[in-house]
Amino acid sequence: MRMKTKVLHEGYKPGNGEPRVLPIYQSTTYTYDSTEAIGELFDLTKAGHMYSRISNPTVQAVEEKIAALEGGVGALCTSSGQAATMISLMTLLKAGDHFISASTIYGGTVNLFAVTLKRFGIDCTFVDPTKPLETLSQYIKPNTKAVFGETIANPAMTILDIEKFATFAHQHHIPLIIDNTFATPILCRPIGFGADIVIHSTTKYMDGHAVQVGGVIVDSGTFDWTNGNFPEFTEPDNSYHGVIYTKDFKEAAYITKARVQLMRDIGAYPAAHTAFLLNLGLETLAVRMEKHCENALKVAEFLYASTEVQTVFYPGLKTDPNHKWMKKYTPAGASGVISFDISGGKDRAIKFMDGLELASNVVHVADIRTCVLHPASETHRQLNDEQLKEAGITPGLIRLSVGLEDVEDIIDDLKQAFEKSK
Ligand SMILES: *Cc1c(COP(=O)(O)O)cnc(C)c1O
C-alpha cells in the first residue's frame, strides 16, 4: 500500500460482518475466563489487553496505523506530545545519565529538557545542529545515552540533517530520537534516514482539526540494545518476574519496555474516544498535507515578495537556506507552517496579529484553519534571550500556520493586517 491508502486501511481491518469504522472500545478493563489467564498477562508471557492504562483495542488500532505509516515495528500512543517526549527518554535514561539535543526544538521540549529532567538528575546538552560531526562528538560523555532532534524545527523552520545526526548517534552506540511532528510521515519518514525512535505530538497535523491533544512514540526496531550501553534492556526487570526485554521481545524491546514499564507506572495513555478522533484525522492526513504544503508555498512566496516582511523562513522557498535539506528530507513539501520576521519588530508583530480577521490568534499550530502565534511572547516566553536565539526566535518572529482555506483569502487577510498595523 502507498501512503494515501495506508492512512485509510492500516491498523483496523474488519472481518466478515464487523463494523466498517473503527469501534470505540470504551472500557477500562477486559474479562478473562481464569485467574491464570490474567496471571499470564501480568507475567507478559501472553499478549492481551488487561487494563486501559496500558493498552486498549481502539488505541491499539491507531498505534498500528501510525507504526505502519512511519515504518516501525510498534507504536505507543500517549496523552500528549509532551508525554511522548518524556516517555521516549525515560525508557532509556535514569538519574546520572546525559543526552544531547539539537537546540532548534519546540519550546515546551526545551523546558522539559533544561528544567524538569534536570531536577531528576538527567542532564541535557543543547547543540547547534548545523555543526560538523567532529564538533558534535566533543559533547559526548561516558554517560551520554541518546541524541534528540526535530525534523522541521518548531518554530525556526530549519530542517535537521537526520542522516548526520544518525551517524553521530550510532558512532557512539546510542539511539537517535526524532520529533517528526511538523513533517508527519507523509512528508518525511525519519526511520529511513537512520532514526531509531520517532515521536509526534499528534495534536498537530495528525489530528489536524484542533480537537484533541495527544502523542505517539514509534520504535524502528533496528537499534541494538545489547551493545552494553543499555543494561536495563538486557538484564531482568524485577517488576515483571525477571523479563528480559531484548530476549523476550526481540526487535520490539524498546516499545514494549516503554509500554509495560513506563506507561504502566506513569499512566499517560489516551482514552479510546480520543484515539477514535485521532484516527479520523489520520484518514485524511495525506490529502491534507498536500494542500497545506501547496497553500503555504504560495503564502511564503507572497511574504517573500512583501516589503512588510524582513525574512521568511520556509524551506519550500528556493531562496531558503534549508531548501537543500527540504529537497532531501521533505521533498513533497515543507508543511503548512511559515515563520517570518515582520518589519517593525515586536510591537508591529503584535499589532499585525491583532489585526488579522480570518486567521485566528491561538496557542496552536497545524490546524485546518489558518492561525498565528507570536513565539517570543507566547509558547517560548519562558526561554531567556540566549535560549530564544538558539531556538531561532527573534522578537518580531510570527509563526503562521497556513490552513486549507482558499489561499487568496489567506493572503487578503495578511494584506489588510499589514496595512492596519502600519
Ligand atoms: C506541540 C509540540 C509538542 C508538544 O506536544 P503537545 O501535544 O502539545 O504536548 C512537541 N513537539 C513539537 C514539535 C510540537 O509542535
Side-chain angles (χ1 to χ4, degrees):
M1 286 193 276
R2 294 164 183 83
M3 292 307 264
K4 284 195 179 97
T5 315
K6 279 189 183 177
V7 292
L8 290 164
H9 294 282
E10 285 286 3
Y12 177 64
K13 295 179 178 108
N16 190 36
E18 288 177 358
R20 174 56 274 190
V21 174
L22 171 66
I24 302 173
Y25 290 96
Q26 193 70 45
S27 181
T28 58
T29 190
Y30 309 85
T31 63
Y32 288 89
D33 290 340
S34 68
T35 317
E36 196 195 334
I38 296 181
E40 286 171 344
L41 295 178
F42 272 101
D43 283 347
L44 303 180
T45 51
K46 279 247 168 70
H49 301 290
M50 161 165 71
Y51 189 55
S52 293
R53 187 187 339 112
I54 300 166
S55 70
N56 165 281
T58 309
V59 187
Q60 184 183 19
V62 179
E63 290 169 340
E64 286 173 9
K65 178 176 285 187
I66 296 173
L69 295 176
E70 285 288 7
V73 293
L76 173 67
C77 280
T78 59
S79 54
S80 68
Q82 287 298 95
T85 310
M86 180 78 170
I87 291 176
S88 75
L89 285 163
M90 286 181 84
T91 303
L92 302 172
L93 305 174
K94 58 182 186 325
D97 284 342
H98 168 257
F99 70 105
I100 290 174
S101 173
S103 58
T104 43
I105 54 171
Y106 171 67
T109 312
V110 175
N111 286 334
L112 172 62
F113 291 178
V115 183
T116 300
L117 284 180
K118 204 177 175 66
R119 284 177 47 226
F120 292 95
I122 296 169
D123 244 337
C124 175
T125 303
F126 293 96
V127 299
D128 174 350
T130 62
K131 289 278 186 298
L133 273 180
E134 309 77 68
T135 313
L136 294 177
S137 291
Q138 292 168 7
Y139 298 104
I140 292 279
K141 303 177 189 181
N143 58 344
T144 307
K145 293 292 167 68
V147 177
F148 186 95
E150 267 175 39
T151 309
I152 304 179
N154 173 7
M157 296 307 288
T158 51
I159 293 184
L160 188 74
D161 184 355
I162 300 175
E163 267 180 6
K164 180 179 77 180
F165 259 54
T167 304
F168 169 49
H170 297 158
Q171 274 176 353
H172 301 281
H173 312 290
I174 55 178
L176 172 64
I177 306 175
I178 291 290
D179 181 337
N180 197 33
T181 297
F182 272 18
T184 83
I186 304 302
L187 302 179
C188 179
R189 281 185 289 164
I191 291 172
F193 296 107
D196 302 289
I197 297 149
V198 176
I199 62 165
H200 287 270
S201 164
T202 61
T203 318
K204 313 298 164 54
Y205 285 118
M206 281 193 171
D207 165 59
H209 299 72
V211 293
Q212 27 93 36
V213 171
V216 70
I217 305 170
V218 183
D219 182 359
S220 68
T222 53
F223 190 80
D224 178 16
W225 302 106
T226 65
N227 68 15
N229 270 332
F230 299 93
E232 282 188 7
F233 287 73
T234 54
E235 288 168 13
D237 177 352
N238 290 329
S239 72
Y240 280 112
H241 298 310
V243 152
I244 296 174
Y245 293 103
T246 47
K247 183 165 149 277
D248 296 317
F249 300 99
K250 307 280 188 303
E251 78 276 9
Y254 172 86
I255 204 68
T256 305
K257 186 175 190 281
R259 181 187 303 278
V260 302
Q261 197 184 60
L262 280 302
M263 190 57 89
R264 174 197 64 188
D265 294 350
I266 293 171
Y269 203 60
H273 186 253
T274 305
F276 173 83
L277 292 172
L278 174 56
N279 188 52
L280 287 186
L282 287 168
E283 287 179 338
T284 58
L285 182 64
V287 284
R288 281 190 287 111
M289 289 317 290
E290 230 174 67
K291 191 68 190 165
H292 277 297
C293 291
E294 186 191 314
N295 275 0
L297 183 59
K298 286 183 186 149
V299 172
E301 282 164 353
F302 160 76
L303 291 170
Y304 185 75
S306 167
T307 51
E308 313 295 336
V309 173
Q310 265 172 12
T311 325
V312 182
F313 304 93
Y314 187 67
L317 286 175
K318 287 197 179 65
T319 49
D320 191 279
N322 281 274
H323 189 65
K324 70 168 182 177
W325 298 124
M326 178 250 168
K327 283 199 284 193
K328 174 164 183 178
Y329 291 109
T330 67
S335 88
V337 187
I338 301 169
S339 288
F340 66 95
D341 235 326
I342 192 166
S343 313
K346 184 172 177 177
D347 292 344
R348 174 105 194 270
I350 290 169
K351 261 198 214 154
F352 166 81
M353 300 217 344
D354 290 347
L356 289 164
E357 286 169 8
L358 180 69
S360 43
N361 189 345
V362 293
V363 182
H364 194 46
V365 62
D367 186 10
I368 46 175
R369 288 148 291 234
T370 296
C371 55
V372 286
L373 178 139
H374 186 231
S377 61
E378 295 171 6
T379 42
H380 290 64
R381 80 182 280 132
Q382 309 306 338
L383 272 55
N384 62 36
D385 289 352
E386 191 55 32
Q387 287 173 320
L388 282 175
K389 206 169 138 232
E390 282 174 4
I393 295 159
T394 50
L397 192 81
I398 292 171
R399 190 185 68 190
L400 171 65
S401 172
V402 178
L404 304 183
E405 299 93 343
D406 281 309
V407 71
E408 295 79 8
D409 290 330
I410 300 170
I411 292 173
D412 283 349
D413 190 34
L414 298 173
K415 280 184 187 159
Q416 66 82 25
F418 279 136
E419 281 308 311
K420 261 195 240 165
S421 62
K422 269 183 180 159

